[in-house]
């Protein structure tokens, strides 16, 4: 019988057999700069605000505005029995007859409009004086009305500002009834409505500046004007209604005044920090983050602590990681 002997030689300190060389990955330098997180949300560009103008005068409707028409201070909203009913600015509807026997905030509101229309030069106050009477008569004369010097409910409708007509709720020849909305409209300022995902509520604040991206890549500036206090359900999502005023000149909209847009809400910011593409981060056993540094001595995995994340980059700190250090990125 033959015995075959095999000898195994162990050499202390030798590296394990080499693995096949890894295919070289693209690298990018670690850069230093400012980082701002943001949330992008779809929105609808249009005209800001919702307005309803309510009739207060009984009679036959003899004129109505057209859809798309803009009605400004002193201009006719509609007509009843051929009497023009103009728009005045304010927040308090005319609910009583205004004459020398009354005083109050509705008097001050009327006088403010008379001054703005050029029929008076006095300082508006709570008192309906002889000067008020004369100013009202001048206003009535400009409208072709009897110069009574008094103002009754229904002689004008009150709105917060210019109104862009979206719909009319009456027909010429129909009866106007006090309390009926005769015009539904919007304001004339360009704005965006966003149904903001409730998870991102903290990203929005009144008077906050945001960026609005239009179709085709153009970007304009906006400012948050109102935020709904109560969440709504839209397409099975909990959302918060946010209205944004476009602050860039209308010319920068490029003739696009309505349609879908993307609103960018800025969040936290970091100044002068080291950043890499998010794809450069890897997860080590145990959950720690790392980057693969490539230098003269080859590839080295270096543990890092991530800071602020954005959609494309992340703030990092780690031993030996400095501006210009090259790190691997699986895809650029």
């Amino acid at each position: 019988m033959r015995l075959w002997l095999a000898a195994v030689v162990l050499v202390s300190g030798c590296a394990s057999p080499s693995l096949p060389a890894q295919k070289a990955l693209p690298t990018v330098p670690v850069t230093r700069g400012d980082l701002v997180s943001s949330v992008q949300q779809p929105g609808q560009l249009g005209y800001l605000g919702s307005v309803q103008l309510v009739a207060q005068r009984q009679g036959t409707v003899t004129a109505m505005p057209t859809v798309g028409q803009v009605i400004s201070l002193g201009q006719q909203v509609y007509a009843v029995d051929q009497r023009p009913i103009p728009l005045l600015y304010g927040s308090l509807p005319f609910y009583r007859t205004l004459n020398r026997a009354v005083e109050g905030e509705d008097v001050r509101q009327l006088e403010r409009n008379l001054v703005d229309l050029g029929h008076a030069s006095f300082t508006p106050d709570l008192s309906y004086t002889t000067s008020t009477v004369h100013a009202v008569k001048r206003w009535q004369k400009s409208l072709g009305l009897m110069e009574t010097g008094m103002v009754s409910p229904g002689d004008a409708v009150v709105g917060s500002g210019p109104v862009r007509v979206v719909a009319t709720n009456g027909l010429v020849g129909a009866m106007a009834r006090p309390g009926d909305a005769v015009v539904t409209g919007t304001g004339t300022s360009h704005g965006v409505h966003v149904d903001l995902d409730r998870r991102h509520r903290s990203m929005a604040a009144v008077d906050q500046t945001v960026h609005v991206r239009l179709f085709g890549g153009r970007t304009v500036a906006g400012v948050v004007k109102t935020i709904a206090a109560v969440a709504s359900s839209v397409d099975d999502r909990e959302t918060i209604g946010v209205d944004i005023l476009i602050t860039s000149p209308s010319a920068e909209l490029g003739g696009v005044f309505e349609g879908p847009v993307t609103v960018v809400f800025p969040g936290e910011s970091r100044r002068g920090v080291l950043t890499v593409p998010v794809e450069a981060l890897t997860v080590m056993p145990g959950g720690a983050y790392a980057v693969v540094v490539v230098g003269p001595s080859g590839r080295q995995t270096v543990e890092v602590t991530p800071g602020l994340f954005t959609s494309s980059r992340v703030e990092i700190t780690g031993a030996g990681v400095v501006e210009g250090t090259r790190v691997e990125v699986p895809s650029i």
Side-chain angles (χ1 to χ4, degrees):
M1 174 182 293
R2 293 183 180 179
L3 296 178
W4 294 92
L5 298 179
V8 177
V9 180
L10 298 178
V11 181
S12 176
C14 278
S16 59
S18 299
L19 296 174
Q22 179 177 316
K23 181 180 178 181
L25 293 176
T27 63
V28 297
V30 175
T31 60
R32 185 179 296 278
D34 299 338
L35 204 61
V36 179
S37 66
S38 62
V39 168
Q40 299 184 22
Q41 295 280 280
Q44 188 68 28
L45 176 66
Y47 292 87
L48 209 58
S50 178
V51 180
Q52 282 195 323
L53 301 180
V54 179
Q56 289 178 283
R57 179 173 289 275
Q58 183 90 27
T60 302
V61 176
T62 52
M64 289 291 285
T66 58
V67 172
Q69 179 180 340
V70 174
I71 305 170
S72 299
L73 177 65
Q75 295 180 341
Q76 176 178 295
V77 176
Y78 69 117
V80 175
D81 299 333
Q82 292 193 313
R83 178 190 178 97
I85 310 299
L87 175 68
L88 297 184
Y89 293 166
S91 58
L92 186 62
F94 294 119
Y95 62 94
R96 59 178 178 168
T97 297
L98 301 183
N99 54 33
R100 292 291 300 272
V102 302
E103 62 179 28
E105 282 298 333
D106 47 355
V107 175
R108 191 202 306 271
Q109 178 177 276
L110 172 65
E111 290 185 343
R112 186 181 300 114
N113 279 275
L114 294 171
V115 170
D116 291 343
L117 287 168
H119 300 303
S121 58
F122 49 63
T123 299
D125 58 23
L126 303 178
S127 301
Y128 202 105
T129 64
T130 299
S131 296
T132 311
V133 172
H134 292 323
V136 169
K137 286 183 176 180
R138 287 191 287 271
W139 174 50
Q140 291 169 329
K141 181 178 181 180
S142 72
L143 296 172
L145 302 175
M146 185 179 297
E147 299 168 37
T148 65
M150 301 185 299
V151 178
S152 300
D155 286 352
V157 294
V158 177
S160 59
V163 177
R164 176 178 169 270
V165 179
V166 173
T168 56
N169 305 322
L171 297 173
V172 173
M175 289 298 295
R177 296 177 299 181
D180 286 352
V182 291
V183 169
T184 299
T186 68
T188 56
S189 299
H190 300 296
V192 176
H193 178 80
V194 174
D195 290 317
L196 180 67
D197 192 301
R198 189 174 184 176
R199 296 172 300 171
H200 303 310
R201 170 62 183 84
S202 62
M203 300 289 285
V206 173
D207 295 331
Q208 173 190 15
T209 298
V210 298
H211 300 291
V212 179
R213 293 176 181 166
L214 308 177
F215 179 79
R218 187 190 299 261
T219 299
V220 295
V223 62
V224 175
K225 301 303 292 182
T226 61
I227 301 174
V230 180
S232 302
S233 182
V234 177
D235 296 330
D236 297 325
R237 293 188 304 126
E238 289 292 310
T239 62
I240 304 289
V242 177
D243 285 325
I244 297 162
L245 173 68
I246 299 297
T247 54
S248 295
S250 295
E252 293 188 17
L253 292 171
V256 179
F257 303 130
E258 295 181 280
V261 296
T262 299
V263 178
V264 181
F265 293 86
E268 294 182 76
S269 62
R270 298 283 191 274
R271 303 298 179 189
V273 295
L274 298 175
T275 72
V276 295
V278 172
E279 295 83 359
L281 283 183
T282 61
V283 181
M284 300 173 65
Y289 287 96
V291 293
V292 177
V293 173
V294 179
S297 58
R299 300 170 65 250
Q300 181 183 5
T301 300
V302 176
E303 184 174 335
V304 295
T305 301
L308 182 64
F309 280 81
T310 70
S311 60
S312 61
R313 298 190 72 82
V314 59
E315 172 191 2
I316 62 168
T317 56
V321 178
V322 296
E323 184 176 3
T325 301
R326 299 199 71 85
V327 297
E328 288 185 349
V329 182
S331 60
I332 297 180

